[in-house]
Amino acid sequence: MIIDGKSIANEILESSKIKIKSFKVLPCLAAVVVGDYEASAIYVRNKARVCQQVGIEFLKYKFPSNIQQKKIIDLIKKLNSDKNITAILVQLPLPRHIDKRTIIESISPLKDVDAFTSENFSKAVLKNSNFWPCTPSGIIHLIKYTGIKIESSNCIVIGRSEIVGKPLALALLNLDASVTICHSKTINLTQRCIGADILISAVGNPKLVTENMVKPKAVVIDVGINYLDGKLCGDVDFEKVSKIASYITPVPGGVGPMTIAFLIKNILTLYENNLRTNES
Ligand code: NDP
C-alpha cells in the first residue's frame, strides 16, 4: 500500500487551522534564510504557503551568503525577545563560513521550532517530550498511521544527520524498536537492510534502496529528495520495491508534506507553551 502523506498531512493542517481560529493573537513564524540555495528557496516558499493556509503569520529574513555570523546572531537575539514572534527557524544548509551549531544554539529553546537546540533535543531524547524535529515526528506519525507495531520491530535507519537520521533512530528506540543506524561508512548495507521490518532511507541518493535490500512485507519510508533525469524522486527504487513492501511512501507526496505539517504542529506547541508561561 502506498502511504498517502499528503492526505495525512492535510488532516493535521485542517485541525491546526480550526485551533488557530480560536486564538486571540495569531502565531508568527520567523524564517531566517542565508544565501541562495535553490532547494532552500523552494522549502521556505512551501513553508510560507502552508503557514498562510492555516492562518499563521510568516516573516522571512534573508541575508546574502557572505554575511558575517554575528549579524545573524544579532537578528536571532532580536527575534528571541520579540513578543510577536512565536517560533524561529533557520533554513539549512548555511554557508561554510557560518558555524551551524553556534547559530542554532543562539535560538531561544522557547522559540526553536525545529527542536534542533541541544536543550530541546536532549529533552526529546532523555525526557521523551512530545517536541521533536519535524521530519522524524512526521515519519513516526506515518508509521503509526499504518497500524504497524513499532515496539520490538527491527528498524534500519540509513543516514545519521542531526536533522533526520539521528533523532529518528532515537525516537524509534524510545518507542522500543531495535534500531540499526547505517551511514556512508557502513559495510554491506544490503545485508543489514534485509532483516528490517521498517526500513527508512534519509540519504539523498536516488535508487540507493533496491528490491534485493528489502524484506518482503517490510514498511519502507523514503525521506530522500533527489532529481533523476529532471524528475523528483526519493532514495528508493519505488517501482520495484513497492511490489514487495507492505507499505511504502512515495516521493513526492510522502514524508515531505508530513515535515511541514509537523512544523505547524510544533509552532502551535510553542504558542501554547508560551501562553501557559505568560499566564503563570
Ligand atoms: P545529510 O547529507 O545531512 O545526511 C545524509 C546521510 O546519508 C549521512 O549520514 C551520510 O553518511 C549518509 N550516506 C551518504 N551516502 C550514503 C550511502 N551510500 N550509504 C549509506 N549512507 C549514506 O542529509 P539530510 O539528513 O539532511 O537529508 C537526507 C535526505 O533527505 C536528502 O535527500 C534531503 O533532501 C532529504 N530531506 C527530506 C526531508 C523531507 O521532508 N522529505 C526533510 C529533510 C531532508 P555520513 O554521515 O557518513 O556522511
Side-chain angles (χ1 to χ4, degrees):
M1 261 182 83
I2 297 172
I3 306 176
D4 186 352
K6 204 167 171 197
S7 83
I8 302 169
N10 276 340
E11 285 174 19
I12 295 172
L13 295 181
E14 278 311 307
S15 64
S16 302
K17 197 172 169 179
I18 293 166
K19 204 174 200 183
I20 292 164
K21 276 199 182 129
S22 69
F23 293 165
K24 286 191 193 117
V25 181
L26 290 186
C28 179
L29 172 66
V32 180
V33 182
V34 186
D36 291 303
Y37 297 99
E38 205 181 316
S40 295
I42 297 171
Y43 296 150
V44 172
R45 257 204 315 275
N46 282 342
K47 289 170 187 177
R49 180 180 46 77
V50 176
C51 280
Q52 192 189 21
Q53 183 188 328
V54 298
I56 291 174
E57 280 188 59
F58 183 89
L59 297 175
K60 182 171 125 182
Y61 298 85
K62 174 124 187 343
F63 289 113
S65 59
N66 62 354
I67 190 78
Q68 286 174 351
Q69 178 163 304
K70 186 180 172 307
K71 293 246 168 72
I72 307 173
I73 294 176
D74 287 346
L75 169 69
I76 292 175
K77 280 185 182 157
K78 262 196 212 146
L79 298 172
N80 282 341
S81 54
D82 185 338
K83 286 206 162 55
N84 297 316
I85 304 289
T86 314
I88 303 168
L89 74 79
V90 174
Q91 186 63 44
L92 300 175
L94 293 169
R96 277 169 181 272
H97 70 283
I98 309 275
D99 182 55
K100 182 179 79 178
R101 203 22 61 198
T102 307
I103 296 293
I104 288 172
E105 296 300 345
S106 71
I107 303 172
S108 160
L110 300 174
K111 298 193 177 187
D112 162 33
V113 71
D114 282 315
F116 287 164
T117 58
S118 45
E119 183 173 325
N120 283 339
F121 189 73
S122 67
K123 268 189 195 157
V125 174
L126 302 177
K127 297 189 178 171
N128 221 356
S129 75
N130 66 348
F131 194 76
W132 285 76
C134 307
T135 305
S137 285
I139 292 168
I140 298 286
H141 190 90
L142 282 183
I143 298 171
K144 286 184 173 169
Y145 205 93
T146 64
I148 295 285
K149 205 166 130 231
I150 295 177
E151 185 189 310
S152 305
S153 63
N154 286 323
C155 295
I156 300 281
V157 178
I158 318 177
R160 58 173 164 179
S161 73
E162 284 177 19
I163 65 169
V164 190
K166 211 175 277 178
L168 174 64
L170 292 165
L172 290 163
L173 186 65
N174 282 4
L175 291 167
D176 296 324
S178 297
V179 186
T180 303
I181 307 174
C182 299
H183 46 78
S184 67
K185 307 285 187 293
T186 297
I187 294 167
N188 209 343
L189 186 63
T190 301
Q191 215 48 46
R192 288 179 185 273
C193 290
I194 194 74
D197 304 308
I198 301 173
L199 174 60
I200 301 152
S201 184
V203 173
N205 188 343
K207 302 208 176 170
L208 174 77
V209 178
T210 47
E211 80 268 33
N212 60 324
M213 296 165 81
V214 179
K215 179 164 121 179
K217 301 252 180 289
V219 174
V220 179
I221 308 286
D222 193 350
V223 189
I225 299 177
N226 310 292
Y227 284 90
L228 193 64
D229 303 327
K231 257 185 81 182
L232 186 60
C233 67
D235 292 343
V236 177
D237 186 343
F238 184 85
E239 215 183 290
K240 292 187 176 145
V241 172
S242 60
K243 293 199 172 102
I244 54 171
S246 60
Y247 289 93
I248 186 166
T249 58
V251 178
V255 174
M258 293 302 292
T259 296
I260 300 197
F262 272 82
L263 173 77
I264 301 297
K265 242 179 175 279
N266 278 2
I267 295 171
L268 298 194
T269 302
L270 293 177
Y271 183 91
E272 286 167 339
N273 287 350
N274 287 341
L275 268 190
R276 269 195 290 278
T277 313
N278 293 338
E279 278 165 9
S280 59

